[in-house]
Amino acid sequence: MTEPNWYAILGIQSNASVSEIKAAFRKLAHQYHPDKTQNPVYTEQFKQIKKAYEILGNASAKIQYDRSLALQKNYSVAAPSLLNVSEIMHYFFLFEKEMKQADIRFINYDRIKWKFNYAYGMPHVLTYIQNASKEDQDYLLARKLYCLSFLPYTESDPFLQVLKQHFKHPDQIYQIQFLSNKQLWEARWNQWQVPLVATISILVCLFIYWLVKE
């Protein structure tokens, strides 16, 4: 799996100075510290922010990473920076395309969560989405909801809660809640399906037994 773009995680350019790297980390760490929220998605964000500073804030580690980043770019496998709305839209367009081509029998839940965590691990992504046009927001929401529809409720709910902070229009909230409710009912059905079928089978057997005895 491609290594995250640690500069993008901190919302800075690759030529950022030591002081700029430190300032970006302190601002984001204060905002996304686990003490601020219980949502596991934001906990993942903080992990990404901390990891980014561990690499970029260390001179030798930064040099090694810069070399690795240059090598990735040479082979066209560099992780996307997602530094504007167009890049974010393209990222989720490719994500949706990947899911449409996936074999539903072998869906990799970890892969889906990693793709979302990578984007959500860049706190500035939220600002770009909120400042985007309604048309661009609707485009992004449709792509995201489609990809999240492959996850079970317990896995997708933390991401859906984050989406509610990204998208504020009533029709967008409705779409998010609709998928949440749909997955919740599917989860409940899956939970009760086996005992319900077993109970019905027992009742049918007892009824047949009663008819035979009569």
Side-chain angles (χ1 to χ4, degrees):
M1 197 171 291
T2 306
E3 183 178 14
N5 186 316
W6 300 117
Y7 287 105
I9 296 293
L10 294 183
I12 57 178
Q13 299 294 334
S14 58
N15 60 353
S17 64
V18 174
S19 60
E20 288 174 332
I21 293 172
K22 184 177 294 185
F25 167 71
R26 286 179 174 175
K27 177 182 178 180
L28 295 174
H30 176 74
Q31 185 176 357
Y32 289 91
H33 194 279
D35 291 343
K36 301 286 185 179
T37 177
Q38 300 300 314
N39 192 310
V41 172
Y42 288 110
T43 300
E44 183 65 28
Q45 278 191 332
F46 182 76
K47 290 179 182 178
Q48 296 260 44
I49 293 166
K50 184 178 179 182
K51 180 66 174 178
Y53 184 66
E54 288 175 355
I55 293 175
L56 301 180
N58 181 289
S60 59
K62 182 177 182 298
I63 292 174
Q64 184 176 355
Y65 172 68
D66 286 342
R67 290 173 179 169
S68 172
L69 190 62
L71 183 63
Q72 289 184 52
K73 289 179 179 178
N74 290 337
Y75 286 92
S76 302
V77 293
S81 57
L82 306 185
L83 291 175
N84 56 58
V85 173
S86 295
E87 289 185 355
I88 298 170
M89 292 173 67
H90 184 64
Y91 178 84
F92 281 100
F93 166 76
L94 293 179
F95 189 8
E96 180 189 46
K97 182 178 179 181
E98 176 184 331
M99 295 310 303
K100 286 181 176 179
Q101 295 174 344
D103 189 330
I104 196 171
R105 298 171 299 172
F106 306 106
I107 293 296
N108 187 335
Y109 293 161
D110 289 337
R111 168 70 177 173
I112 297 174
K113 291 187 292 183
W114 185 91
K115 293 284 287 186
F116 273 97
N117 280 326
Y118 177 75
Y120 290 169
M122 304 178 192
H124 57 275
V125 166
L126 170 59
T127 302
Y128 291 140
I129 293 176
Q130 290 176 330
N131 293 334
S133 67
K134 175 64 162 51
E135 182 180 1
D136 288 346
Q137 287 185 355
D138 288 343
Y139 177 92
L140 278 167
L141 182 60
R143 310 285 84 74
K144 292 183 177 186
L145 291 179
Y146 177 80
C147 295
L148 284 175
S149 68
F150 289 88
L151 290 176
Y153 175 75
T154 54
E155 302 281 3
S156 69
D157 185 61
F159 295 102
L160 291 172
Q161 297 307 316
V162 174
L163 286 186
K164 291 179 180 179
Q165 299 184 37
H166 285 217
F167 303 93
K168 298 295 187 179
H169 291 275
D171 62 308
Q172 295 171 341
I173 296 296
Y174 173 82
Q175 293 177 59
I176 296 169
Q177 193 59 49
F178 180 84
L179 177 59
S180 179
N181 292 340
K182 179 175 180 291
Q183 291 183 323
L184 176 59
W185 281 109
E186 288 176 351
R188 288 177 175 174
W189 168 247
N190 290 335
Q191 180 181 4
W192 290 102
Q193 184 176 11
V194 173
L196 180 62
V197 171
T199 301
I200 293 175
S201 298
I202 292 173
L203 291 175
V204 170
C205 291
L206 290 174
F207 178 70
I208 293 174
Y209 175 75
W210 178 77
L211 287 178
V212 172
K213 284 195 66 176
E214 290 294 321

